[in-house]
Amino acid sequence: MTAKASRQPLSRERVLAAAVVVADAEGIQALTMRRLAGDLGVEAMSLYHHLPAKEALLDGVVETVIAEIDAAVGRLSANGDGEDWRTRLRGQFLAARQIMVRHPWMPALLGTRRAIPVGLYAYYDGIVGTLLGAGFSHHLAHRAVHAFGSLPLGFAQEVFSPAAAGGSMEADVAEADLAAMAGALPHLTAMVAMEMHDGSDPTLGWCDSQLEFEFTLDLLLDGLERLRDQNQVKS
Amino acid sequence: MTAKASRQPLSRERVLAAAVVVADAEGIQALTMRRLAGDLGVEAMSLYHHLPAKEALLDGVVETVIAEIDAAVGRLSANGDGEDWRTRLRGQFLAARQIMVRHPWMPALLGTRRAIPVGLYAYYDGIVGTLLGAGFSHHLAHRAVHAFGSLPLGFAQEVFSPAAAGGSMEADVAEADLAAMAGALPHLTAMVAMEMHDGSDPTLGWCDSQLEFEFTLDLLLDGLERLRDQNQVKS
DNA sequence: ACCTGAACACCGTTCAAGT
DNA sequence: ACCTGAACACCGTTCAAGT
């Protein structure tokens, strides 16, 4: 499907880049060793000269995307120096989100990794540094990192929109389900009806919009700021 | 490995229950059709009389655990009727967490599902009902549901503890990594050092403890309550 | 109706062999 | 050093056949 690659020799980087292209185009389940090799104009077994196993390939793919985020965050830090801690973190998380939208398979893939992607450490060190610089205690900074969850990586847990698995998102199916269950689920259907009336968020299926993301983020930032100020007063 | 099942005929329920047992004992990657059939004392192809495909098996496994949560939440609701909305939701989420701890493969599996488990709707209808009953607007209740993320299901996004993939958790590996990178990651290592001094949370690897979960939960409940009261004043 | 055996297509991976 | 072909073990799944 994809055009055969030019005749430059294979490398770990080229393999990983091609893997990301496959996942972006057809989902993570389309990423097989044989398929990837085919895209690179090579036999499947050649990949094992640059990566020891499929698991290592997937680890590398995750690292590649994390590196994208690190680079984007680095570019942000280069500019806004006098920024408030909140606008700084906010900008970083939203930049990560822009990248994540292009790699919708990342949340699910990240969940299957056994080791922590090393690129994450640098990113989180910066986040903790920002918090400490803004007067947070080490303890509260620690709690904050956990409270953020996956927001620094640009996505939120999406219990109600599992499109990430790699397929078309089926908003209308969910809508049909809801209509059928209207009697049994009065509160949920009323809520959805009200929200659809407003027009902004049509279905529970794709509510992880920019707005929802920013709402949750601001809710957490507000709460953390309040806790920081309480602690300062107390001591 | 597991003892052969007694000679009662197979059923969808028995298959799903056995699947949960396999996943609990050896991780989700050990759950193959042939292995599961073997545990049930049957040939792999017999499973297809009760489930159309592996995907349906996994969907069923997810539904089984959601049903566990629904049952536990139902038991809670039967008792505490005069409860405050916060203690009510708090109790439900913590009950879900108790179940999730026994099925650590659930977060990752849930991420791979394409359809929303139907059992979730009843649970979330109750949550929305509790919020509406406490004076939340439909709009704020909607935002709240998204802000909660996976907390109602008893887990938080665990970027730094990917043990869920199904293997032993490797806290010491992470510790060694951190030690090696101490120079490059000053803020993170300082934070970890401070927190280890306290003794409660030894490593970033397993910080999704009860305490972290409750902290994040209370942070969100506080923020939502504040927004609700602001809106009431405004209107 | 429920279960089985053999077979198929497709994986990841090993290994000996090519250049 | 890098790539290849054949083969192996293991998947999910189909199908015709058993009872």
Side-chain angles (χ1 to χ4, degrees):
Chain A
M1 200 144 269
T2 315
K4 295 258 179 158
S6 53
R7 272 276 136 242
Q8 56 179 307
L10 233 46
S11 73
R12 196 182 115 95
E13 286 66 37
R14 274 192 63 216
V15 172
L16 293 180
V20 170
V21 169
V22 171
D24 286 345
E26 302 179 36
I28 198 71
Q29 88 290 339
L31 182 61
T32 69
M33 299 300 271
R34 286 172 163 92
R35 158 65 194 276
L36 179 58
D39 279 10
L40 287 162
V42 107
E43 224 60 28
M45 300 69 213
S46 305
L47 300 177
Y48 287 83
H49 273 266
H50 304 97
L51 291 158
K54 173 98 186 266
E55 282 297 290
L57 171 71
L58 295 178
D59 285 342
V61 165
V62 168
E63 285 292 350
T64 303
V65 176
I66 300 288
E68 253 191 276
I69 293 177
D70 277 343
V73 168
R75 252 175 277 126
L76 278 181
S77 301
N79 303 345
D81 248 358
E83 275 179 344
D84 171 44
W85 70 277
R86 290 189 53 159
T87 50
R88 186 184 193 85
L89 291 185
R90 211 170 182 286
Q92 290 178 1
F93 297 0
L94 291 176
R97 184 175 156 80
Q98 276 194 294
I99 291 166
M100 227 45 154
V101 166
R102 296 204 312 271
H103 308 301
W105 38 267
M106 258 294 276
L109 179 60
L110 197 59
T112 67
R113 297 304 85 206
R114 313 260 300 253
I116 299 165
V118 291
L120 268 188
Y121 287 116
Y123 182 31
Y124 275 81
D125 192 69
I127 293 171
V128 171
T130 299
L131 290 170
L132 296 178
F136 281 79
S137 69
H138 285 93
H139 183 64
L140 189 53
H142 184 190
R143 296 265 152 125
V145 164
H146 283 288
F148 286 145
S150 61
L151 294 185
L153 294 182
F155 64 96
Q157 198 89 28
E158 304 175 23
V159 172
F160 274 105
S161 68
S168 59
M169 38 203 80
E170 41 211 332
D172 17 45
V173 173
E175 225 169 316
D177 281 352
L178 277 178
M181 291 187 268
L185 309 171
H187 307 302
L188 216 48
T189 47
M191 189 184 81
V192 171
M194 288 289 253
E195 289 293 273
M196 286 182 71
H197 208 245
D198 286 2
S200 61
D201 277 318
T203 293
L204 276 172
W206 16 301
C207 293
D208 183 32
S209 62
Q210 189 81 7
L211 276 177
E212 299 291 351
F213 187 86
E214 294 189 33
F215 173 82
T216 304
L217 180 52
D218 288 332
L219 192 61
L220 287 168
L221 292 173
D222 280 342
L224 291 169
E225 186 168 46
R226 197 166 286 111
L227 286 176
R228 179 199 61 174
D229 296 344
Q230 281 173 14
N231 285 350
Q232 282 181 336
V233 170
K234 228 190 307 185
S235 67
Chain B
M1 202 142 275
T2 315
K4 294 258 178 156
S6 54
R7 272 276 136 244
Q8 59 177 305
L10 233 48
S11 72
R12 196 183 116 95
E13 286 66 36
R14 276 192 62 217
V15 172
L16 293 181
V20 170
V21 169
V22 171
D24 285 345
E26 301 181 36
I28 197 72
Q29 86 290 337
L31 183 60
T32 68
M33 299 299 271
R34 285 173 164 91
R35 159 65 195 273
L36 180 58
D39 279 11
L40 287 162
V42 106
E43 224 60 27
M45 299 72 213
S46 306
L47 301 177
Y48 287 86
H49 274 266
H50 305 96
L51 291 158
K54 173 96 185 266
E55 282 297 291
L57 172 71
L58 296 177
D59 285 342
V61 165
V62 168
E63 286 291 350
T64 303
V65 177
I66 300 288
E68 253 191 277
I69 293 177
D70 277 341
V73 167
R75 252 174 279 129
L76 278 182
S77 300
N79 304 345
D81 249 359
E83 275 180 343
D84 173 44
W85 69 277
R86 289 189 54 160
T87 50
R88 186 185 194 84
L89 291 184
R90 211 170 182 285
Q92 290 179 0
F93 297 2
L94 291 177
R97 183 176 158 78
Q98 276 193 294
I99 292 166
M100 227 43 153
V101 165
R102 296 205 313 271
H103 308 301
W105 38 267
M106 260 292 278
L109 179 59
L110 199 58
T112 67
R113 297 304 85 207
R114 312 262 298 254
I116 299 166
V118 291
L120 268 188
Y121 287 116
Y123 182 31
Y124 274 82
D125 192 68
I127 293 172
V128 171
T130 300
L131 290 170
L132 296 177
F136 281 79
S137 68
H138 284 93
H139 182 64
L140 189 54
H142 183 190
R143 295 264 153 126
V145 164
H146 283 288
F148 285 144
S150 60
L151 294 185
L153 294 182
F155 64 95
Q157 197 90 29
E158 304 174 21
V159 173
F160 274 105
S161 68
S168 60
M169 39 203 77
E170 41 212 331
D172 16 47
V173 173
E175 226 170 313
D177 282 351
L178 278 179
M181 290 188 270
L185 309 170
H187 308 303
L188 215 48
T189 47
M191 190 184 80
V192 171
M194 289 288 254
E195 289 293 273
M196 287 181 71
H197 208 247
D198 285 3
S200 61
D201 277 319
T203 292
L204 276 172
W206 15 301
C207 293
D208 183 32
S209 63
Q210 189 83 6
L211 275 176
E212 299 292 350
F213 187 86
E214 295 189 31
F215 173 83
T216 304
L217 180 53
D218 288 331
L219 192 62
L220 287 167
L221 293 173
D222 280 343
L224 291 169
E225 186 168 47
R226 196 166 284 111
L227 287 175
R228 179 198 62 174
D229 297 342
Q230 281 174 15
N231 286 350
Q232 283 181 336
V233 169
K234 228 193 302 185
S235 67

